[in-house]
Amino acid sequence: RAKKSPSERVQFFASEFGEQVHRRQEMISGLKLAIHNQQLELQFQPQFDRARACTGYEVLLRWYHPVLGSVSPAEFIPLAEQTGLIVSIGDWVLEQALATLKLWVAQGFRGRLAVNVSAMQLHDEAFADRIATLLEQYGVAARYLELEITETALMENVERAMATLNRFRELGLDLAVDDFGTGYSSLAYFKVMPVSRIKIDRSFVSGLPENDQDEVLCRTIINMAHSMGCEVIAEGVETEAQASWLALAGCDELQGYLLGKPALEGFLPENIDI
Ligand code: C2E
Ligand code: MG
Ligand code: MG
Ligand code: MG
């Protein structure tokens, strides 16, 4: 087939670009109605200690669109953040998580449920009060709820974040720093921030145990976190070799497909390790 002429190529790029814009528009208008149309759902991914006992779950949001199908949060969360829709979506997630916790605790759950929080929620001045209200409304003790905030979100506005983090501590909430190692934070911040856990990003776990650089990074993160009195959990653990390397290096907890995928079903009363 003959080479495309420059004008044909321009047309090709223009239509490709047009499709992307169209998908983006379709997702934004869909997201606005996703809660109302009952297209959002929570999944739960278990977390384990070194003895492989389940200690809790991370809440992961799922979106099922009638035309687009199942859309990955890696794609729709950034859009929700750019458009501000994350504030109402995040609030919906929190409320569902607390309703779930209320039920689970009544059935004997004594672990923690970790909810992802975006920068825009963290920097919303009403956020800490909203959590306090929801905890009270659902009659759930704060120790069962953990908030996961990415290192990048925390560093966006350190002063503001510190004020909210201190409110979280007053409320008795646990705080985990998500995707640790991917941002450019100064370790000094974590000495003053009330953080209880560090989550090692999947991208460092995936190279274990063959990649020397990843080994050094993971070991450094584990030792640094422990020296600041934080626990460490590794995300994205997919192989036995990774799990045993991490356990030997002193990593407190593990999360990943090896031990459990995100699922609609979370705590069941018979899984009473917790
Ligand atoms: P994250 O918080 O770092 O969550 C971990 C992601 O890694 C999840 O992807 C999870 O399904 C995936 N994962 C877990 N174990 C493994 C593994 O062994 N191997 C591999 N390859 N992947 C694994 P998911 O569910 O697609 O979520 C992507 C991101 O979307 C999350 O990353 C989080 O940043 C964001 N997200 C999800 N739900 C929410 C939410 O309710 N609120 C906010 N603000 N963000 C959310
Ligand atoms: Mg997370
Ligand atoms: Mg993470
Ligand atoms: Mg991650």
Side-chain angles (χ1 to χ4, degrees), residues 24-80:
R24 187 188 145 90
Q25 270 331 110
E26 196 158 330
M27 287 213 300
I28 292 172
S29 43
L31 262 182
K32 283 184 186 152
L33 295 168
I35 295 176
H36 178 80
N37 290 341
Q38 299 180 299
Q39 293 163 354
L40 299 181
E41 194 167 61
L42 303 188
Q43 288 198 351
F44 306 95
Q45 186 178 28
Q47 302 179 331
F48 298 86
D49 66 17
R50 268 179 282 173
R52 307 274 171 107
C54 177
T55 55
Y57 297 84
E58 177 176 4
V59 170
L60 293 160
L61 186 59
R62 297 292 176 256
W63 180 27
Y64 304 97
H65 185 276
V67 176
L68 301 171
S70 170
V71 185
S72 162
E75 190 175 8
F76 75 79
I77 293 286
L79 267 190

Side-chain angles (χ1 to χ4, degrees), residues 150 178-180 182 199-203 235:
T150 63
D178 206 351
D179 300 346
F180 189 83
T182 60
K199 293 194 83 170
I200 304 179
D201 191 64
R202 189 172 80 215
S203 59
E235 64 178 25

Side-chain angles (χ1 to χ4, degrees), residues 109-156:
F109 180 74
R110 294 294 175 264
R112 63 182 125 55
L113 194 59
V115 174
N116 290 287
V117 168
S118 281
M120 196 178 275
Q121 291 174 280
L122 179 72
H123 296 304
D124 172 359
E125 273 173 71
F127 187 60
D129 286 332
R130 174 66 180 151
I131 294 184
T133 305
L134 284 173
L135 287 169
E136 198 171 283
Q137 189 181 325
Y138 285 89
V140 170
R143 66 173 180 280
Y144 296 119
L145 182 64
E146 181 172 79
L147 302 178
E148 286 194 8
I149 305 176
T150 63
E151 182 187 7
T152 319
L154 284 174
M155 292 304 135
E156 220 177 88

